[in-house]
Amino acid sequence: MQNLNYKHLHYFWVVAQEGSITRAAERLGVAIQTISGQLSLLEGQLGKALFVPQGRGLALSEVGRMVQGYADQIFQLGEALLDAVQQHDSSGILRLRAGITDGIPKLLAYQLLNTLVTAPGELRLICEEDEFDDLLADLALHRLDVVLTDRPAPGGSNLKLFSTQLGDFATGLFASEELAKRHAANFPASLDAAPLLLPSRHHALRARIDRWLENLQQEYKVRPRIVGEFEDNALLNTFGRGGLGLFPAPLALAAQVSQQLNALRIGEMQGVSEQIYAISSERRIRHPAVEALCQVKIA
């Protein structure tokens, strides 16, 4: 068999993704006849039909699905190669484009990423904050190298992503000095009617906190007051620093919370933990800083 023509294979790959020669032609900016001709040449070389008619579009044949799997690997590896080149600017500095979901503690994200910035070698860190789904979409399109979030990548998705858990951090309640004087003694019984600031229900941590509150009510007959719910963890911390209510934070960061937010530890929320994941693209060649990040451990 003669050598594979990768241009023919790329046209096939785009048609397989679009499910239509017309849409593939629009995406590639070429004539429909050009794509049809290239597909015919590829099928002639392979000696197998790659598509079968399905309604007004096309569906992959059994062989077509197999070829698509190989094409996915080939062209994703090509994209990874381009990324690897682009990660170095003209001065040879390695760039890491990190997405951070708005719900995870920014102090924790700082602790994790700071280990990379302060490591030997030059690294330029580019951070973006957004919602979980939007960051995963950017990651799949190779606009980001890694996403730090509170949950693993969803299963059953067409996105080829994989997750590494960076830590499972015990969580406690913190408060301004004035609130701490009222609620620190006899914890957690002291929390009855105490004002609470919590992450919104979109965040994985919230479900664990809700279970803890239910147990608190059953065991101690204690019912705190939820006075604020926040999508953004940084905003939650700002209100907590202002003394509006008690707020959750990783106990491993108690010293930083005290220093930066002027807040004191009230007590541990038994069974409640903040889980942090690094989600990266499923590539054969991975970003060296992403590899290093997945090895980071915070006590």
Side-chain angles (χ1 to χ4, degrees):
M1 179 182 291
Q2 59 183 331
N3 291 335
L4 185 65
N5 187 309
Y6 287 96
K7 186 174 183 179
H8 298 169
L9 184 64
H10 184 255
Y11 282 5
F12 157 78
W13 188 55
V14 174
V15 174
Q17 290 176 326
E18 297 293 336
S20 160
I21 291 178
T22 301
R23 289 195 297 271
E26 292 173 354
R27 174 174 158 182
L28 294 169
V30 299
I32 293 174
Q33 294 81 0
T34 299
I35 293 184
S36 296
Q38 302 280 12
L39 286 179
S40 295
L41 290 172
L42 180 60
E43 289 180 325
Q45 183 182 11
L46 297 176
K48 302 284 184 180
L50 300 176
F51 293 98
V52 293
Q54 185 179 68
R56 295 183 177 180
L58 295 172
L60 288 166
S61 66
E62 184 176 349
V63 173
R65 287 192 294 272
M66 178 185 68
V67 174
Q68 184 187 32
Y70 282 100
D72 284 342
Q73 296 182 49
I74 289 169
F75 293 115
Q76 285 170 8
L77 188 60
E79 291 171 352
L81 184 151
L82 293 175
D83 284 348
V85 173
Q86 292 169 2
Q87 281 161 10
H88 291 79
D89 62 22
S90 58
S91 61
I93 298 175
L94 183 66
R95 295 184 301 165
L96 176 66
R97 301 163 298 179
I100 303 172
T101 53
D102 46 20
I104 69 171
K106 301 306 177 288
L107 285 174
L108 201 52
Y110 164 76
Q111 289 286 325
L112 292 164
L113 293 172
N114 185 53
T115 60
L116 305 180
V117 177
T118 57
E122 293 190 78
L123 175 72
R124 179 171 298 164
L125 183 61
I126 303 167
C127 289
E128 176 182 335
E129 185 179 10
D130 210 333
E131 296 183 0
F132 181 74
D133 291 338
D134 292 333
L135 290 177
L136 288 195
D138 285 342
L139 183 63
L141 294 171
H142 307 301
R143 294 171 182 161
L144 294 172
D145 300 306
V146 67
V147 171
L148 294 181
T149 182
D150 62 352
R151 71 201 73 177
S157 170
N158 290 328
L159 302 179
K160 294 193 174 182
L161 307 172
F162 67 93
S163 311
T164 301
Q165 187 175 27
L166 301 182
D168 192 343
F169 304 95
T171 300
L173 284 175
F174 293 77
S176 64
E177 185 175 355
E178 181 180 347
L179 282 176
K181 289 177 181 178
R182 284 187 249 162
H183 301 287
N186 199 27
F187 180 90
S190 60
L191 295 180
D192 194 39
L196 286 187
L197 306 174
L198 299 181
S200 74
R201 297 184 187 279
H202 291 122
H203 303 305
L205 182 65
R206 178 58 185 273
R208 303 181 194 113
I209 293 176
D210 285 344
R211 288 194 294 271
W212 181 77
L213 291 174
E214 290 174 7
N215 293 334
L216 201 64
Q217 183 178 353
Q218 293 173 5
E219 186 172 350
Y220 295 95
K221 310 303 179 188
V222 167
R223 180 177 293 180
R225 295 180 297 113
I226 300 175
V227 297
E229 299 181 64
F230 300 85
E231 196 73 25
D232 179 41
N233 183 264
L235 188 59
L236 186 155
N237 287 343
T238 299
F239 276 80
R241 179 173 55 191
L244 183 64
L246 286 68
F247 61 97
L251 293 174
L253 300 179
Q256 292 90 333
V257 172
S258 175
Q259 181 181 13
Q260 298 186 30
L261 302 179
N262 297 320
L264 301 177
R265 169 177 166 169
I266 303 298
E268 182 176 355
M269 306 168 77
Q270 293 290 338
V272 178
S273 63
E274 183 88 49
Q275 297 175 352
I276 303 296
Y277 293 85
I279 303 179
S280 53
S281 299
E282 188 176 18
R283 306 180 194 172
R284 294 192 178 194
I285 301 174
R286 294 181 67 188
H287 194 298
V290 175
E291 294 280 9
L293 177 63
C294 291
Q295 304 301 318
V296 171
K297 301 296 178 186
I298 296 179

